[in-house]
Amino acid sequence: MFTILTGAQFGDEGKGKVVDLLAEKYDIIVRFQGGDNAGHTVKVGDKTYKLHLTPSGVLFGKRLLIGPGVVLNPRVLWEEIDTLRHSGLEVDIGIDPKTTIIMPYHIELDSLREKARSDKIGTTKRGIGYAYIDKIARDEVQMGDLTDPARLQAKLEEIAPAKEKAIADMGGDPTVVRFQPYLDEYLEIGARLKDSLTDVSLEINLALDDDKMVLAEGAQGAFLDVIHGTQKFVTSSFTTAGSACANLGVGPVRVDNVVGVLKAYLTRVGEGPMPTELKNQMGEHLREKGHEFGTTTGRPRRCGWFDAVLARKSVYLNGYTELALTKLDVLSGMDPLKVCVSYDLDGELLGYPPESTEEFSRCIPVYEDVPGWSEDITAAQEYDELPKNAREYVEWLEGLLQVDISAVSVGPGREQTIYRE
Ligand code: GDP
Ligand code: IMO
Ligand code: MG
């Protein structure tokens, strides 16, 4: 069985929690895009794990894979593996040798660009975009190169002059490109990870031939997708479900289901349009109650009402077969709740987001009021234990999106999850 799970909004929907919940049933959990710009939180008992590269199935000791469509900072991965092993977890990880490596100069270029330009994207400054540029330009360093010092050296000879010039032109320090201590550290990590290299496409296809269960864990969210998101305020990878097949080398007919993770309201971190953003007390309340601060950068997340117009598009972009709705507990005590059901663009009512980011940024949300509930729902175990208005909110969203909401999350803990028939 092959399941793809993706974020249905602007990232941070609670993918880490949902992957951890599903992972028990799966044999392999694999990351297929993005890099350590992701921050996936898994809370078990009183322990909280913030994972940037390690797939969120690690707490069940499952086989973990990093596919070649990921951009990998080896330092971050090594530190993460080390910390997890020190906390007593078994980390059985396989990395595709074709995985693009984020070099220190990618991070430098990302920071310089954000500093220099007035049209900031608000990136995580992890070098993501610049690493993907090099992949497309065929100037990348790959994971396999880190296990062969001579090959890495030869590649760098080719690549270095253009990188040094780019950094110098942007006012940075070009010596970072060939800084030997960095290269030595990368090679050392390469040597440690040499035995973990694997052909991820082959491993997944063989596992599926064997009727094993494979779960592809998306990072970011639909509207950060480099094609279908709110360009240019997006990440540099393909974040929707179809990308899992292309990036992992698995045929689309092998996909059995596609799970979307949706927050019961909306958040966004970084720049870019967000029609339902609440720049008021209510937005502050959501941020405080939902602890909406970036897992990777600590930046406050922008908060707003649930946007059903965007969610509808996400259902199309991903072809969801089911949805997990997270953070319903955060809405307790807000009455009435609002849900954006259409946009007003220059006097015209739209039920689907416009393609142009410029037009999207001018959309004014049209809301429907939905009655709220006052009860704390964080201890609810069964769907019937939820207040009537909370159930109606879930069912109303389900009706709007025409996809089953099969799980409702009412807190960060594993046990704070309600499964629906
Ligand atoms: P991801 O990037 O999609 O994995 O999401 P993040 O981990 O960046 O952000 C989600 C945050 O919400 C994490 O701190 C989770 O522990 C927390 N969380 C997940 N589900 C729930 C929920 O249902 N209720 C509450 N209150 N917190 C949740
Ligand atoms: P997870 O997987 C939320 C945002 C950044 C910025 C834009 C581009 O935890 O949901 P980048 O560094 O990728 O070039 O930044 O994308 N962004 C995220 N926002 N969750 C994420 O990941 C994100 N990864 C990147 O804030 O706006
Ligand atoms: Mg996150």
Side-chain angles (χ1 to χ4, degrees):
M1 162 124 105
F2 185 37
T3 300
I4 301 169
L5 177 146
T6 62
Q9 294 156 323
F10 289 105
D12 302 327
E13 298 89 350
K15 298 176 292 295
K17 165 169 173 166
V18 181
V19 170
D20 170 71
L21 287 172
L22 292 173
E24 192 171 13
K25 287 194 303 198
Y26 284 79
D27 300 294
I28 294 177
I29 295 86
V30 57
R31 275 279 307 269
F32 60 91
Q33 46 70 232
D36 63 308
N37 49 350
H40 296 180
T41 314
V42 181
K43 189 168 179 291
V44 182
D46 57 3
K47 279 204 162 158
T48 299
Y49 302 85
K50 291 177 190 289
L51 306 167
H52 299 287
L53 282 164
T54 314
S56 305
V58 64
L59 302 185
F60 285 106
K62 296 302 170 96
R63 174 69 171 158
L64 310 172
L65 295 175
I66 293 186
V70 168
V71 285
L72 179 82
N73 182 328
R75 275 175 162 174
V76 173
L77 179 66
W78 186 256
E79 256 179 56
E80 213 162 88
I81 293 176
D82 212 32
T83 309
L84 289 163
R85 285 188 177 146
H86 271 100
S87 65
L89 290 164
E90 186 200 331
V91 185
D92 174 17
I93 196 157
I95 306 159
D96 197 283
K98 281 187 171 161
T99 307
T100 301
I101 295 298
I102 296 182
M103 301 294 286
Y105 49 80
H106 294 132
I107 299 167
E108 180 70 9
L109 284 163
D110 193 358
S111 296
L112 287 168
R113 186 218 186 267
E114 282 290 291
K115 222 186 301 168
R117 288 175 62 159
S118 55
D119 61 337
K120 292 190 194 330
I121 292 169
T123 73
T124 58
K125 297 186 184 162
R126 298 296 193 268
I128 305 295
Y130 283 90
Y132 276 121
I133 288 173
D134 278 358
K135 183 179 197 69
I136 300 302
R138 293 152 294 185
D139 271 342
E140 65 183 324
V141 171
Q142 297 182 338
M143 183 64 214
D145 300 329
L146 300 191
T147 61
D148 183 341
R151 199 161 87 204
L152 177 65
Q153 197 58 43
K155 262 203 180 164
L156 270 180
E157 291 297 321
E158 290 274 322
I159 299 168
K163 299 296 160 206
E164 285 162 346
K165 180 169 184 316
I167 290 174
D169 286 351
M170 288 167 89
D173 177 6
T175 59
V176 68
V177 178
R178 299 185 216 221
F179 190 60
Q180 200 56 45
Y182 285 161
L183 299 176
D184 290 343
E185 190 186 346
Y186 270 44
L187 285 168
E188 201 179 307
I189 297 171
R192 286 191 208 130
L193 291 174
K194 192 171 183 171
D195 293 341
S196 301
L197 299 195
T198 183
D199 180 334
V200 164
S201 167
L202 181 64
E203 192 170 331
I204 293 177
N205 279 290
L206 289 175
L208 293 174
D209 287 348
D210 242 5
D211 287 331
K212 292 218 168 107
M213 308 267 291
V214 179
L215 174 61
E217 173 178 354
Q220 291 79 52
F223 302 105
L224 292 175
D225 181 85
V226 70
I227 294 180
H228 301 288
T230 55
Q231 261 280 19
K232 68 187 168 199
F233 304 101
V234 291
T235 190
S236 300
S237 68
F238 307 99
T239 61
T240 60
S243 158
C245 291
N247 283 1
L248 295 173
V250 181
V253 292
R254 303 206 84 159
V255 179
D256 293 286
N257 43 34
V258 185
V259 180
V261 186
L262 268 177
K263 210 176 264 191
Y265 49 98
L266 192 66
T267 63
R268 171 165 207 170
V269 61
E271 304 300 320
M274 176 181 169
T276 63
E277 180 174 11
L278 293 166
K279 293 181 182 168
N280 57 18
Q281 202 54 39
M282 208 95 78
E284 286 287 325
H285 171 80
L286 284 171
R287 178 154 47 247
E288 289 307 316
K289 190 156 182 214
H291 303 290
E292 296 295 356
F293 295 89
T295 312
T296 299
T297 57
R299 291 177 292 175
R301 295 175 183 151
R302 300 155 62 194
C303 298
W305 294 119
F306 188 90
D307 187 335
V309 184
L310 273 182
R312 247 177 230 137
K313 176 162 177 164
S314 195
V315 168
Y316 275 166
L317 294 178
N318 288 282
Y320 291 131
T321 55
E322 58 186 295
L323 296 169
L325 187 73
T326 61
K327 298 199 125 172
L328 190 67
D329 54 300
V330 177
L331 296 182
S332 288
M334 295 176 91
D335 194 13
L337 300 168
K338 288 180 185 291
V339 170
C340 170
V341 290
S342 56
Y343 296 149
D344 178 334
L345 177 63
D346 305 331
E348 194 188 339
L349 275 190
L350 305 179
Y352 202 76
E355 273 285 80
S356 135
T357 300
E358 189 276 322
E359 285 184 352
F360 180 64
S361 68
R362 288 192 290 113
C363 284
I364 300 164
V366 178
Y367 290 114
E368 251 184 60
D369 282 2
V370 191
W373 59 92
S374 56
E375 297 89 333
D376 177 350
I377 58 171
T378 54
Q381 292 289 300
E382 301 288 335
Y383 190 61
D384 291 349
E385 288 173 40
L386 291 178
K388 180 168 160 284
N389 287 351
R391 279 182 275 133
E392 282 184 1
Y393 185 74
V394 173
E395 288 156 30
W396 189 60
L397 293 186
E398 198 169 43
L400 281 177
L401 303 177
Q402 292 292 300
V403 183
D404 290 348
I405 295 176
S406 54
V408 178
S409 172
V410 293
R414 260 184 198 160
E415 66 295 348
Q416 293 175 297
T417 314
I418 295 168
Y419 298 96
R420 294 176 71 219
E421 290 304 312

